[in-house]
Amino acid sequence: MLFQVLLNIVAFLIKCIVWIAVAFLAIPFGVYYFLLSYFREFTLAYGFSFWAVFSILSIIGFVILWKPIIWTVGVIQTLGAGA
């Protein structure tokens, strides 16, 4: 009984860590892909201006897309795919 409770706690923590990693990595990867697709020379320079634009766009992406990410994760967990 105690082992099952500990196993459920560990599984829940791992699931939370995976969802947070997916949410935190999806937006910067999308911003990088967008910059690479439309501004290839600028992106491949990796200068200060690239990192400044990348950071600003990532922050804007997090502010705008945070609620939809949480909603999506909630729906997936409600449907049982995250269990």
Side-chain angles (χ1 to χ4, degrees):
M1 177 82 172
L2 180 62
F3 180 71
Q4 184 65 37
V5 170
L6 291 174
L7 189 62
N8 286 342
I9 291 171
V10 170
F12 175 76
L13 291 175
I14 290 173
K15 182 172 61 171
C16 288
I17 290 170
V18 168
W19 279 118
I20 289 170
V22 167
F24 280 125
L25 293 177
I27 292 173
F29 182 74
V31 168
Y32 180 75
Y33 183 75
F34 169 77
L35 290 173
L36 189 62
S37 295
Y38 291 103
F39 307 103
R40 188 167 186 81
E41 314 266 331
F42 173 72
T43 303
L44 295 177
Y46 294 116
F48 174 76
S49 57
F50 164 74
W51 290 110
V53 170
F54 177 75
S55 300
I56 291 169
L57 289 177
S58 293
I59 291 170
I60 291 171
F62 278 119
V63 169
I64 292 173
L65 296 175
W66 189 248
K67 282 286 189 184
I69 288 173
I70 297 300
W71 293 335
T72 304
V73 168
V75 166
I76 291 172
Q77 285 182 345
T78 301
L79 293 175

